[in-house]
Amino acid sequence: MSAGIGRSSLAVVALLSAVPTAAQEATGDAAPAVPTPVNGAQRYAPADFSRFAPRTALDMVEKVPGFLIVTGTNGGDRGLGQATENVLINGERIANKATDARTALARITAAEVAYIDIVDGAGLNVPGLTGQVANVVLVAGAGSGGFKTTIRWQPEWRPRLEDNWLNGEISTTGRIGGTNLTLSLKNEARRQGHWGPERRFDADGALSFVRDEFGRYNADQPRLSAALARTAGNGNKWNFNLGGQLVRLDDRVIGTSVQPGAGAVGELFRFTEDEHNYDIGGDYELGLGKGRLKLIGLYRFEHSPFVDTFIVDREIGGRSGERFSQTADEGESILRGEYSWRTAGGTDWQVALEGAYNTLDVDAEFARLQADGSFVPVAFDGERTRVEEKRGEASLTWGRALASNLTAQLNLGAEYSELTSSGPGGLTRRFVRPKGKLALAWKVGPKTTINYQLQRRVDQLDFFDFASSVDVANGQGNDGNGLLVPPVVNRTELEFVQDMGAWGNASVAFAYAYAQDLVDQIPLSETTEGRGNLPPAHLYRISSKATLLLDRLGWKGARINSDLTWRRNRVRDPLTNIWRDQSEGQDYVVDLSLRHDIPRTDIAWGAGYFDEQYSPNLRLGAIEREYADGPFVTAFVEHKDVAGFTVKLSYRNLAGQRDGFDRVVYADRRDGPVAFSEKRLRRYGRFFQLTVTGTI
């Protein structure tokens, strides 16, 4: 709940920008020869990052001026599809869904990086990429010098909570024969929590009582993975990935109050999950005719049982309670083939075919507490639900330079889906949806680029929306909806990228989308609600990314990064039919950071400011707003060589941000009278975080 970064936002167009190569602090070290960049790429050599003393490729990419890594795994929730991350390694996308760009880069030592090119995605023969893309090129024979182990350890110490000692990753990479091997053990451990009052008001706004609450949220998620890669003498390549993970979640919220007619009241909400998942996948690439054929396969399975329990002890009225438990089994099987070639005239082509089979099996139970302490199940619609999806897609991609300063990429495709659900209102339906993207990159001048894209995107449904669920803590729930339709987003975006020389580099983007069948809360009957499709909606976004180098102002080694976004997602309310913001849509983000690498020392220091905001969640009988009360502010000091490791100590939440939650509950629908309202503010205090990274 309290990750230290709350919900809020703002958006303005930024000007500040990047640290150019020429402005880097001279080190005196002889820089290794780096090839001259082609196709207008902006190239960064290892020497350009020397003042940061990077340990991994991730440390280097994060310091590229004006560039931000797009996080998330390729292919979204299900399937692989086109590339979705803006990072390539040796010109190839990361085709392992269990590994995102940050994770992959963190497992590559800085010594293995030959150079990093920032290129325009429209000029690459990788469908799906637009805007700025980082291509991390490794030195020839990387990994042949014996095994190298990278370590990241990130403990945290928060007030009133358990110390978090187990967050981190260790990975080792090397070569056995001609095969590259990477082994990794990663644990995304969490020890978080917050505390504070929740005020309850009656229908007239008068204070009914104050509930004192304390919540803590613990997680351990160890994942063990292995990756094998080999390039044969004839140029054929293969990759094999295998991974398994255990997820242990334990959340508790304790509330105490004195309530009218009930006396002293104690409340306990507990959520536990005991998940395991595994995945196996690989790809094989070979020369065929005039091009290259790449075959990709993946299988993933997840078993995730969880239990929600809410028990209330009243001084007058005794004990009551409810429990909702659910066991979900998810499976995903993917086969994909890509054939790419280039004509003598310089045109890139790719034909891709993908098939996927996805399943979800849900077994749920809702039960009430009895006087003897046992829970007795209560029948509700949707105890068992099975969802199956058979999906196929085909696409053709064309790309070439239209002029010396203009490149284009056109992708045309179609998706077929057969969707079957056995839950409430379940049935079998078939969809055929065309989709595609046009991307242009125009080098207006030596330092100015304009990127444009026009896209029709078919989004995926959350299979859990087909199943019924109960929120025992808030006394509400959702019915499953077997009539859900995949959303379609028709989107256009215009981006301006400016290299400002020794001052830096900045970008600003404007986007608009006409969205059909977005999923939100809708009435399913006169008395029930659940997830369903909305009428057409309008989505707007303005965003900016920048880095400003302060050397020209006399502050050697200092720079400011900014990431600003403003959004408005306007939808038709299914209850009132008036225009409003999409439930839980992001309104704005302000992310600013300062870093100062003190010249001729191993010391760096800095600070960060983060603020974002989301629109309220509108149910049919309640309006819920989750937010961060104030910005999240950090400060850090870093030493780049402590026995060969980089050690960074951060002091976090300096402005005392609090987690807020407001709720208005109506007697019936939210176009009628109010029943009661609640206002909650929970503190989580200032805390320390230590980050230790290095290679051995």
Side-chain angles (χ1 to χ4, degrees), residues 370-401:
Q370 304 300 300
D372 61 1
S374 64
F375 282 90
V376 174
V378 177
F380 76 105
D381 193 15
E383 286 92 342
R384 294 181 184 273
T385 303
R386 178 174 174 83
V387 183
E388 293 185 33
E389 180 188 41
K390 299 173 184 176
R391 186 171 55 81
E393 69 173 55
S395 65
L396 174 66
T397 302
W398 168 92
R400 66 168 293 119

Side-chain angles (χ1 to χ4, degrees), residues 323-493:
R323 183 182 69 192
F324 179 73
S325 58
Q326 176 181 279
T327 298
D329 290 329
E330 300 175 73
E332 179 178 32
S333 303
I334 305 170
L335 287 176
R336 181 178 175 87
E338 301 172 346
Y339 184 65
S340 307
W341 73 97
R342 168 168 282 198
T343 67
T347 300
D348 291 315
W349 292 91
Q350 184 188 92
V351 176
L353 295 173
E354 178 173 311
Y357 177 62
N358 305 298
T359 62
L360 170 67
D361 285 286
V362 172
D363 187 359
E365 179 186 86
F366 175 55
R368 288 197 173 96
L369 182 66
Q370 304 300 300
D372 61 1
S374 64
F375 282 90
V376 174
V378 177
F380 76 105
D381 193 15
E383 286 92 342
R384 294 181 184 273
T385 303
R386 178 174 174 83
V387 183
E388 293 185 33
E389 180 188 41
K390 299 173 184 176
R391 186 171 55 81
E393 69 173 55
S395 65
L396 174 66
T397 302
W398 168 92
R400 66 168 293 119
L402 303 180
S404 60
N405 63 342
L406 178 63
T407 58
Q409 183 186 98
L410 177 65
N411 176 269
L412 298 175
E415 178 180 303
Y416 167 82
S417 176
E418 180 182 287
L419 198 57
T420 302
S421 75
S422 67
L427 69 165
T428 298
R429 292 164 301 148
R430 296 171 180 84
F431 305 96
V432 177
R433 298 286 178 97
K435 58 184 180 180
K437 177 189 287 187
L438 170 66
L440 300 171
W442 180 25
K443 201 78 174 177
V444 180
K447 295 186 177 182
T448 305
T449 301
I450 298 177
N451 296 308
Y452 173 76
Q453 62 172 295
L454 179 66
Q455 180 186 27
R456 177 181 169 89
R457 189 182 75 218
V458 180
D459 287 345
Q460 296 181 1
L461 294 171
D462 185 343
F463 282 179
F464 285 95
D465 290 341
F466 289 86
S468 299
S469 62
V470 179
D471 179 355
V472 295
N474 292 312
Q476 57 194 19
N478 284 343
D479 276 19
N481 183 3
L483 300 176
L484 285 162
V485 174
V488 174
V489 179
N490 305 285
R491 177 173 167 269
T492 183
E493 179 174 336

Side-chain angles (χ1 to χ4, degrees), residues 206-333:
L207 181 65
S208 299
F209 61 87
V210 177
R211 179 186 291 116
D212 186 57
E213 297 181 312
F214 182 93
R216 68 126 176 98
Y217 315 96
N218 291 350
D220 284 292
Q221 305 172 85
R223 175 177 169 82
L224 181 63
S225 61
L228 299 170
R230 185 184 181 96
T231 300
N234 60 1
N236 293 354
K237 304 175 183 178
W238 61 262
N239 295 278
F240 177 77
N241 304 286
L242 177 67
Q245 184 179 34
L246 300 176
V247 178
R248 302 288 184 267
L249 306 179
D250 187 359
D251 300 345
R252 301 186 186 202
V253 179
I254 298 172
T256 58
S257 60
V258 176
Q259 301 182 15
V265 178
E267 298 172 332
L268 172 63
F269 169 78
R270 187 177 184 191
F271 165 84
T272 59
E273 183 171 350
D274 189 6
E275 173 191 320
H276 68 263
N277 63 69
Y278 64 88
D279 56 89
I280 181 171
D283 58 78
Y284 185 74
E285 181 182 319
L286 68 154
L288 182 65
K290 297 182 179 181
R292 305 282 295 177
L293 175 65
K294 188 170 188 176
L295 302 173
I296 306 171
L298 180 142
Y299 176 73
R300 182 184 66 87
F301 176 80
E302 178 179 311
H303 174 75
S304 50
F306 76 82
V307 179
D308 278 342
T309 306
F310 185 60
I311 296 176
V312 181
D313 283 300
R314 303 173 184 82
E315 184 180 12
I316 303 172
R319 166 177 284 201
S320 65
E322 295 178 333
R323 183 182 69 192
F324 179 73
S325 58
Q326 176 181 279
T327 298
D329 290 329
E330 300 175 73
E332 179 178 32
S333 303

Side-chain angles (χ1 to χ4, degrees), residues 500-551:
M500 298 187 295
W503 286 102
N505 164 303
S507 68
V508 59
F510 305 88
Y512 165 76
Y514 178 74
Q516 300 166 278
D517 297 318
L518 290 180
V519 176
D520 207 324
Q521 205 76 8
I522 69 168
L524 298 179
S525 72
E526 292 296 325
T527 58
T528 62
E529 63 181 295
R531 307 296 286 173
N533 297 108
L534 295 180
H538 302 277
L539 317 180
Y540 307 88
R541 174 172 61 83
I542 301 174
S543 59
S544 173
K545 301 177 179 62
T547 306
L548 173 68
L549 181 69
L550 301 178
D551 291 51

Side-chain angles (χ1 to χ4, degrees), residues 610-630:
F610 185 89
D611 188 20
E612 67 174 341
Q613 180 173 292
Y614 286 78
S615 55
N617 175 39
L618 273 69
R619 296 180 58 85
L620 298 188
I623 299 177
E624 302 169 343
R625 177 173 173 256
E626 188 173 357
Y627 62 96
D629 180 48

